[in-house]
Structure formats: structure tokens, C-alpha cells
């Protein structure tokens, strides 16, 4: 759960048990809390269909587990009324690096592999040098979403040039690309103007509105990640 929302609250709940604090936060920010809970769904579906996953999609599963663990820790910090934006910024670097690595495994052409390696190095460099501990690191967020668009474009270019996929609806990378398309296009504008709507100086109502929108996108994308794992069974068949 977003600690920044928590830190903006004026509340006397600090002396209550942690479970009551969490329920209080859930009642105040149900969309954000639901987004956190749904993080476990890709982990569960990935475990169920693990034997059908390719090595690239298994890597996606491992990163889903890392994200789930990170969300648990960030929620725990929220319940303690502690700013957890450093966790979000770390997970952003891990996720973007992971996506570059997954697509690096998917591509067979050496030129595209080199391009993915360059993207990976750039993602890590920007993420590290523009890292923030108590605020959203807006520059890495925007760049990573541009990176996702590049990954999707490159993969669909590969699909069209090779025409080796018989049933695209049973092709896990297709659903991964659909996830990245929604994830990147749905939130890039918000992070592009993040200093005005998601910073410490933004009005609380505006911050909550836009962060709820991001949470809805996260819910949709985590659902699509479940589809990625599910359709792996049919691609193997």
C-alpha cells in the first residue's frame, strides 16, 4: 500500500494493533489495498501452471514472486506509518530490468539482443542515478514505460516477420505484450506530470485520484499476467 497516502493522514490509530491499522487503511484506500492483495494471484496461478511455463515465462514468474514479497514489505511499512517509496522505486528498477532480460531471452536475432542489452544497461543506470528514497523517482518511471513500448514494438515486429506462431491467443508473450501496452500507455502521462500530481506538494485529493487510477491499471495488468501463465498450458499442447 502506498505509504505516501498514509503519511498524509491525520489519525490517532498509531496505538492500535497492526491488523486494525491495516483494516483502517483498507477502508480509506480500498482500490490501492485491493491492488496489493491481487499481487498474490499471479504467484498462485504461476505455481499451478509452473510445469507448462517456458524458461522466459518462468523468469516472469520469479519476478512476480519478488514483486509480491516487495508488496508485503511495503504494506508492512505502511501499517507502521513509515514511508515506503524507496521500495516502490527499487521494484521499478527490478521490474524494468526483468522485462528487458525476459525479452532478451525471447529474441533470437543478435541485433535485437544487443539492443535489449543496451536498454537494460540504460534502465539500470537511470534507475540508480535518479533514485529517490522518499519520493517517486519520476524520470525512471517515465523512461521505463517508454522502454516497455519499445519491447512491445520489437516483439510484434518479430512475430510479423517470422510468422511462426499458429495461435496467437495461446501464445504467452502476446499476453505479456498486451500487459506491457496497457501498463505503459495507461500510466506514462501520470508519471510524466508526476511532480504536479504525485509529489509531496500535490493536493491530497489529486494525489489519491491519480494513484487510484494507477492501482486500477495494476489490477488489470496483474490479471493479464495470470492469463500469461494460464495460456502456457495450451501453447505446450
Amino acid at each position: 500500500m502506498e505509504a505516501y497516502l498514509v503519511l498524509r493522514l491525520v489519525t490517532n490509530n498509531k496505538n492500535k494493533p497492526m491488523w486494525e491499522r491495516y483494516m483502517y487503511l483498507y477502508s480509506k484506500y480500498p482500490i490501492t489495498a485491493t491492488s496489493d492483495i491481487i499481487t498474490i494471484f499471479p504467484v498462485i496461478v504461476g505455481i499451478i501452471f509452473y510445469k507448462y511455463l517456458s524458461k522466459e515465462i518462468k523468469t516472469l514468474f520469479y519476478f512476480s514472486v519478488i514483486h509480491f514479497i516487495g508488496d508485503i514489505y511495503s504494506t508492512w511499512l505502511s501499517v507502521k506509518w513509515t514511508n515506503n517509496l524507496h521500495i516502490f522505486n527499487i521494484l521499478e528498477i527490478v521490474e524494468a530490468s526483468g522485462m528487458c532480460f525476459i525479452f532478451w531471452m525471447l529474441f533470437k536475432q543478435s541485433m535485437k539482443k544487443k539492443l535489449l542489452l543496451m536498454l537494460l544497461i540504460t534502465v539500470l543506470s537511470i534507475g540508480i542515478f535518479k533514485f529517490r528514497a522518499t519520493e517517486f523517482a519520476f524520470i525512471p518511471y517515465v523512461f521505463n514505460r517508454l522502454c516497455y513500448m519499445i519491447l512491445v514494438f520489437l516483439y510484434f515486429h518479430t512475430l510479423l516477420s517470422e510468422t511462426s506462431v499458429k495461435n496467437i491467443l495461446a501464445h504467452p508473450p502476446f499476453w505479456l505484450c498486451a500487459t506491457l501496452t496497457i501498463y505503459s500507455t495507461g500510466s506514462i502521462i501520470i508519471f510524466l506530470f508526476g511532480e504536479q500530481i504525485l509529489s509531496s506538494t500535490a493536493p491530497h485529493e489529486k494525489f489519491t485520484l491519480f494513484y487510484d487510477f494507477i492501482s486500477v491499471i495494476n489490477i488489470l495488468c496483474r490479471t493479464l499476467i495470470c492469463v500469461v501463465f494460464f495460456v502456457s498450458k495450451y501453447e505446450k499442447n
Side-chain angles (χ1 to χ4, degrees):
M1 183 178 295
E2 183 49 62
Y4 216 92
L5 300 176
V6 176
L7 294 176
R8 286 163 173 253
L9 287 175
V10 178
T11 178
N12 296 320
N13 288 345
K14 289 187 177 181
N15 295 325
K16 290 187 177 182
M18 294 190 70
W19 176 251
E20 291 188 22
R21 296 186 206 174
Y22 179 79
M23 295 308 298
Y24 172 74
L25 294 178
Y26 193 98
S27 67
K28 295 292 292 185
Y29 306 105
I31 298 177
T32 302
T34 301
S35 175
D36 289 338
I37 294 172
I38 288 183
T39 307
I40 195 175
F41 287 7
V43 177
I44 295 174
V45 176
I47 292 174
I48 294 173
F49 296 98
Y50 185 81
K51 66 179 181 180
Y52 302 107
L53 306 183
S54 64
K55 63 180 182 180
E56 296 86 3
I57 305 304
K58 283 182 180 178
T59 303
L60 176 64
F61 169 73
Y62 300 145
F63 279 100
S64 297
V65 173
I66 293 173
H67 196 287
F68 173 63
I69 295 172
D71 266 9
I72 291 178
Y73 182 57
S74 66
T75 300
W76 180 70
L77 291 177
S78 294
V79 175
K80 290 181 61 181
W81 314 112
T82 303
N83 191 303
N84 62 2
L85 286 178
H86 63 288
I87 301 298
F88 283 83
N89 293 334
I90 291 172
L91 287 176
E92 179 67 21
I93 298 173
V94 172
E95 287 179 0
S97 302
M99 287 301 165
C100 289
F101 181 65
I102 290 170
F103 279 83
W104 182 85
M105 290 192 293
L106 287 170
F107 291 139
K108 306 304 179 184
Q109 303 94 328
S110 60
M111 184 178 68
K112 289 182 179 178
K113 281 184 173 290
K114 291 178 181 178
L115 177 59
L116 263 294
L117 184 58
M118 292 173 59
L119 279 177
L120 175 58
I121 294 173
T122 307
V123 164
L124 289 172
S125 300
I126 293 178
I128 293 172
F129 288 109
K130 294 296 182 178
F131 183 82
R132 293 183 180 181
T134 58
E135 294 270 2
F136 278 115
F138 295 114
I139 293 178
Y141 277 76
V142 172
F143 177 80
N144 292 345
R145 276 142 189 80
L146 293 174
C147 179
Y148 297 151
M149 294 179 188
I150 294 174
L151 295 178
V152 171
F153 173 79
L154 290 175
Y155 195 75
F156 277 120
H157 176 267
T158 301
L159 284 181
L160 292 174
S161 60
E162 295 182 354
T163 63
S164 58
V165 178
K166 296 180 180 179
N167 183 4
I168 196 169
L169 294 180
H171 187 52
F174 166 77
W175 291 101
L176 178 57
C177 288
T179 303
L180 291 180
T181 300
I182 294 173
Y183 188 61
S184 57
T185 58
S187 59
I188 187 171
I189 297 298
I190 293 178
F191 287 113
L192 189 62
F193 296 98
E195 293 290 351
Q196 289 75 42
I197 59 181
L198 293 178
S199 67
S200 57
T201 58
H204 177 67
E205 295 76 13
K206 183 184 292 186
F207 182 98
T208 305
L209 174 65
F210 284 101
Y211 196 81
D212 279 348
F213 179 75
I214 293 175
S215 296
V216 171
I217 294 176
N218 288 338
I219 291 172
L220 178 58
C221 290
R222 285 161 185 167
T223 303
L224 287 174
I225 292 296
C226 293
V227 176
V228 173
F229 298 146
F230 174 74
V231 300
S232 295
K233 176 180 180 180
Y234 299 95
E235 185 179 51
K236 290 291 184 180
N237 293 335

